[in-house]
Structure formats: C-alpha cells, structure tokens
C-alpha cells in the first residue's frame, strides 16, 4: 500500500517545493516553471510507458496551465482571512479555495489532455481549445465583472474571472469530446490545489498567532503545491486513458518545441523579470554589508550562466531524442526534470542571497525536500488500479472541503484578535478600504 502512495506523495512534495520556490519569482512564469517540474516528475514517478513519447509536450502544456493562474490577485483574500469575524474569514478561505482551484484545474486539465494524446495517439484539437478558452475567458469576465459587478478582491485585479471562464471552456471541451480522464485530472488537481491554498491560509493565520519567526507565507504556498500535486498525481495515475497499441515513437520536431519551452523560454522570462529587470542591491544589503552591488551583479551573471546551461541542455536533449527510444527517452526525460528542478533551486538561492546567509531557513528546507524526492523516486514501481471519473464522488469531496473550510474559519476566528494586515470584505470598514 505504501508503494502505491509513494508516487502521489512525492509528486505533492515536488509541486509543494517548487511552488514555494515560485514565491520568490511570482506571476505566470514562476508558476509555469513550478508546474512544469511537477508534471515531468509525475511522468518519471508513474512508470507508464505509454506516456513517454508525449510526456514533455504534456509537461509543457501543464506548465502553461499552472502558469495561467499567475495572473490572479489574492493578496486581499489573505487579509480577509486574518480578520476576527466569521463572515470575512470564511469568505477569505472560500475565495482562496476558488483561486487555488483555478490554478489546479487549468494546470491539471491541460496536462491531462497532453497525457490523453500521448496515451491514445489521437490528436487533440488544440487550436479549437485555445479559441474556446480565450472566448470563455473574455465572455465570463465581461458578464460577471463588468455587467454583474461580482468582484472578488476589490480594488485589486479581478483576473480570476478570466481564469474561471477559461476553466469552464476547458471543462466543456473535455466533456464534449469524451476526454473524461483529462477532466478527472483537472477536477482533482483543482480540488487539491484549492483546498491546499485555503488550508495554507489557515496555517498562515495560525503561524501569526503562534508568534514563531518563520516564513508562514511560504508555508501557504507549499500547501497549495503539496495538495495540488497530490490531486494531480492521484487523478492522473488512476485515470483510465485510452491506450494505443503499440505506443508510437514521437518525432524529433514534436519534442524540440516542448524542450525549448520548458528549458529555455520559461527560464529566460524568469531570469529577465526577476534578475535583469530588478535591482537586487536591497536584497543583498540585508544579506551582507560588504559590497552588495557586487553580489547583486554576480547573482545576475550566475543566473544567466545557469540559463546558458539550460539552453545547451535543451539542444543536446533534442538531438539525442532523435536517436533514442523507450528507455533512452526516459533517461532524457529524467535529465530534463533534474535540470529544471536543480536550476530552480539555484535561482531561488541567488534571488534571495541565501547562499551567503541563513536568514531564510526555508530555502534550505527546499534542498531537504529535493534530496528526499530523488532518494525515494526509485521505489515508485507499483501500478495503481485505474478507475473511471465519477462526478458524484468529486462533488461530495467538494462539499466536504467547503464544510471543512468553514470549520477552519471558525477555529481561526476564535484563536486571535484582529491580526496585522487584516482587511474586511463586508461592513463599513470594508467600504472605506475599497475606496482607498
């Protein structure tokens, strides 16, 4: 039984760790890098031969899906959860559930469709899906936000509505075309990530009450990734994808662009936005008083050198893929995952300056997680029984999560007076805050 759970738990640890790292970079590109790593490692942990040929394409699609949620704003929601009245606290946790759920639904759904295509050998109408998701995003946003005025996080961005519209279109696409396995991955990834984000908010509040000196915001991020990864792994490993016999070998051209996207495009955007465009001097002033400008410039240069390593690796992996098959391709997938994960670790130490100081202890916990994942992944050999998607079961889980979050809201409210950074969504105080 433990061996059946191991790939699920390790995927949760992978996405939890990388999502916590993502907190240093933020936005779509940081989320995409984290999601891509988790998708690659899930393929490695699965031991599913039919996934090998299309795994990198599926991982890139998953990265795009997890990255889309990066446009959503949730800072206000965290403030709602810190209040000491039940309506605001419950609203904060429930809306965090929605935001986290959209992260997971889009990421898990696109990843699931990639696995569906790889397993069955039948092409997914990606161009049609893209148009439908774009149309769904625009229509839902303008109807709910502009016409009905149903704002979640005033006065912040309401981009959650764009993600919600895209998610609805994705669900309809999967349902209409019989992609029930992909829909299962989307739903359970969303439920896991949604619960993880809301539960992480509860842990953030409890951490503030405890008075412990630790980055509990990072704990909240880890929670989203951990439970989202568990949901994605459970659903993908148990989903009954249609299989082709025998699995077809992927063409070199079909591998080159996913490798380029994972190892070149996403890391370059992260480097450009987080290192090149930002002045790291203030960060390094907190780490070392000795010439912080030198260390900030060094971090930019080392991060770019790391990007060059990923670029050369992408070229090498694409070339070797042409001459390989089966087990050899699995080795290349493993190297892709290790390079992505390892360089993300390097980037977080460079952006925080943690390699010069222990002022950010959570950074070193990432290394512990990485070591545990690498040490245990070799034991993931058990095949998990497949099952069809059961919407009623997922609906019961949804209501169970909602009830649990309401209980956690009551516990949180009863544990403290109003905390620093608390913001009300309802009442006179809330109206004043919206006017700011």
């Amino acid at each position: 039984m433990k061996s059946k759970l191991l790939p699920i738990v390790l995927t949760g640890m992978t996405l939890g760790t990388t999502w916590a790292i993502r907190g240093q970079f933020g936005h779509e590109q940081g989320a995409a890098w984290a999601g891509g790593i988790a998708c690659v490692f899930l393929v490695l942990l699965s031991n599913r031969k039919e996934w090998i040929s299309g795994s990198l394409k599926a991982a890139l699609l998953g990265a795009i899906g997890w990255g889309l949620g990066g446009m959503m704003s949730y800072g206000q929601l965290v403030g709602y959860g810190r209040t000491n009245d039940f309506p605001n606290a419950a609203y904060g946790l429930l809306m965090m559930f929605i935001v986290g759920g959209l992260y997971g639904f889009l990421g898990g759904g696109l990843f699931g469709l990639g696995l569906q295509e790889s397993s069955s050998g039948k092409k997914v109408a990606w161009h049609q899906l893209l148009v439908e998701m774009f149309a769904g995003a625009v229509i839902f946003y303008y109807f709910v936000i502009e016409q009905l005025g149903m704002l979640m996080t005033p006065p912040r961005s309401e981009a959650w509505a764009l993600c919600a519209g895209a998610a609805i279109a994705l669900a309809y696409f999967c349902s209409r075309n019989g992609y029930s396995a992909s829909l299962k991955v989307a739903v359970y990834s969303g439920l896991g990530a949604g619960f993880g984000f809301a539960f992480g908010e509860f842990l953030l509040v409890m951490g503030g009450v405890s008075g412990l000196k630790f980055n509990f915001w990072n704990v909240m991020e880890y929670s989203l990734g951990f439970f989202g990864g568990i949901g994605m792994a459970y659903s993908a490993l148990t989903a009954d994808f249609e299989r082709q016999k025998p699995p077809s070998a992927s063409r070199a051209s079909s591998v080159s662009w996913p490798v380029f996207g994972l190892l070149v495009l996403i890391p370059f955007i992260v480097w450009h936005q987080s290192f090149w465009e930002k002045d790291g001097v203030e960060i390094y002033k907190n780490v070392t008083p000795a010439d912080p400008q030198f260390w900030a410039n060094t971090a930019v240069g080392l991060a770019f050198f790391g990007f060059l390593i990923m670029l050369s690796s992408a070229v090498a992996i694409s070339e070797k893929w042409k001459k390989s098959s089966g087990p050899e391709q699995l080795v290349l997938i493993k190297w892709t995952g290790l390079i992505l994960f390892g360089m993300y670790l390097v980037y977080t130490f460079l952006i925080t300056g943690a390699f010069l100081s222990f002022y950010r202890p959570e950074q070193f916990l990432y290394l512990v997680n990485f070591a545990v994942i690498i040490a245990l992944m070799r034991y993931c050999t058990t095949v998990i029984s497949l099952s069809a998607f059961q919407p009623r079961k997922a609906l019961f889980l949804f209501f169970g999560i909602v009830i649990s979050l309401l209980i956690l809201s009551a516990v949180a409210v009863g544990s403290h007076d109003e905390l620093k950074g608390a913001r009300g969504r309802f009442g006179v105080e809330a109206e004043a805050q919206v006017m700011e």
Side-chain angles (χ1 to χ4, degrees):
M1 185 65 178
K2 291 182 179 180
S3 57
K4 291 183 178 181
L5 292 175
L6 191 57
I8 297 175
V9 174
L10 291 184
T11 302
M13 291 180 64
T14 300
L15 188 54
T17 305
T18 55
W19 203 266
I21 294 174
R22 178 254 174 183
Q24 320 307 324
F25 305 104
H27 305 296
E28 295 87 344
Q29 63 271 15
W33 196 338
I37 293 172
C39 292
V40 172
F41 268 76
L42 176 52
V43 171
L44 293 172
L45 298 168
S46 70
N47 293 290
R48 300 277 284 271
K49 295 180 180 179
E50 68 272 18
W51 289 356
I52 293 178
S53 63
S55 59
L56 294 180
K57 178 179 179 180
L60 178 59
L61 290 166
I64 294 171
W66 282 100
L68 284 174
M71 70 177 73
M72 294 184 288
S73 173
Y74 53 84
Q76 293 283 95
L77 303 180
V78 174
Y80 302 151
R82 288 174 170 171
T83 58
N84 61 347
D85 65 281
F86 181 76
N88 280 307
Y91 177 82
L93 263 65
L94 291 175
M95 294 306 102
M96 292 286 275
F97 172 59
I98 291 177
V99 170
L102 291 172
Y103 268 118
F105 194 96
L106 293 171
L110 291 182
F111 177 59
L113 282 173
L115 296 180
Q116 184 107 37
E117 185 176 82
S118 180
S119 298
S120 66
K122 298 178 181 178
K123 292 293 184 181
V124 173
W126 297 109
H127 59 289
Q128 181 179 348
L129 174 61
L130 177 62
V131 172
E132 291 182 11
M133 289 180 67
F134 178 79
V138 173
I139 293 172
F140 188 89
Y141 180 87
Y142 277 95
F143 179 70
V144 172
I145 304 301
E146 299 295 336
Q147 295 299 318
L148 299 181
M150 297 176 62
L151 308 181
M152 178 191 288
T153 63
R156 301 285 183 87
S157 166
E158 301 291 340
W160 66 272
L162 294 172
C163 293
I168 293 171
L170 174 60
Y172 179 59
F173 179 86
C174 290
S175 178
R176 188 178 73 250
N177 291 284
Y179 298 140
S180 60
S182 301
L183 185 58
K184 178 179 181 178
V185 180
V187 169
Y188 281 96
S189 298
L191 290 174
F195 171 77
F197 212 13
F199 181 64
E201 161 70 355
F202 172 77
L203 295 178
L204 176 65
V205 172
M206 292 297 99
V209 174
S210 71
L212 295 175
K213 300 298 182 181
F214 192 77
N215 187 349
F216 283 98
W217 188 285
N218 215 221
V219 172
M220 178 179 67
E221 293 166 330
Y222 189 96
S223 179
L224 184 157
F226 181 74
F227 288 102
I230 284 179
M232 185 170 69
Y234 163 76
S235 53
L237 293 174
T238 60
D240 190 9
F241 292 104
E242 180 184 355
R243 301 189 186 187
Q244 58 177 325
K245 298 180 180 180
S248 61
S250 58
R251 296 179 291 107
S253 59
S254 66
V255 173
S256 297
W257 68 266
V259 171
F260 174 83
L262 289 168
L263 285 171
V264 180
L265 181 59
I266 295 173
F268 177 78
I269 296 174
V270 170
W271 173 81
H272 181 267
Q273 295 296 308
S274 300
F275 289 94
W276 183 254
E277 288 294 321
K278 291 185 178 179
D279 186 3
V281 174
E282 292 301 319
I283 294 175
Y284 279 89
K285 281 182 179 179
N286 298 325
V287 178
T288 173
D291 200 357
Q293 182 68 62
F294 167 78
W295 286 109
N297 293 338
T298 300
V300 175
L302 290 175
F304 186 72
F305 180 71
F307 165 73
L308 294 179
I309 293 176
M310 288 185 282
L311 175 61
S312 59
S313 298
V315 175
I317 290 171
S318 297
E319 289 299 317
K320 290 183 179 180
W321 193 281
K322 299 176 182 178
K323 306 174 184 178
S324 62
S325 61
E328 294 85 3
Q329 291 181 348
L330 189 61
V331 172
L332 295 176
I333 296 170
K334 184 175 182 179
W335 276 110
T336 301
L338 291 174
I339 292 168
L340 281 171
F341 205 154
M343 203 57 66
Y344 212 27
L345 287 166
V346 171
Y347 268 38
T348 190
F349 273 85
L350 291 174
I351 198 67
T352 60
F355 66 99
L356 293 174
S357 170
F358 288 99
Y359 85 111
R360 295 287 296 272
E362 77 279 357
Q363 301 293 305
F364 297 91
L365 292 177
Y366 303 155
L367 297 178
V368 175
N369 276 261
F370 179 68
V372 171
I373 294 165
I374 299 303
L376 296 181
M377 64 186 300
R378 69 184 68 179
Y379 300 109
C380 298
T381 58
T382 301
V383 176
I384 300 176
S385 300
L386 305 181
S387 61
F389 176 45
Q390 301 177 31
R392 181 177 296 182
K393 181 179 178 181
L395 187 61
F396 286 153
L397 180 58
F398 169 81
F399 285 116
I401 291 174
V402 170
I403 293 172
S404 299
L405 294 180
L406 292 175
I407 294 173
L408 290 177
S409 300
V411 172
V413 168
S415 68
H416 63 83
D417 294 326
E418 193 165 284
L419 298 174
K420 181 180 179 181
R423 299 184 69 86
R425 179 66 176 89
F426 309 105
V428 177
E429 181 185 358
E431 295 177 4
Q433 291 171 354
V434 172
M435 294 298 293
E436 292 178 1

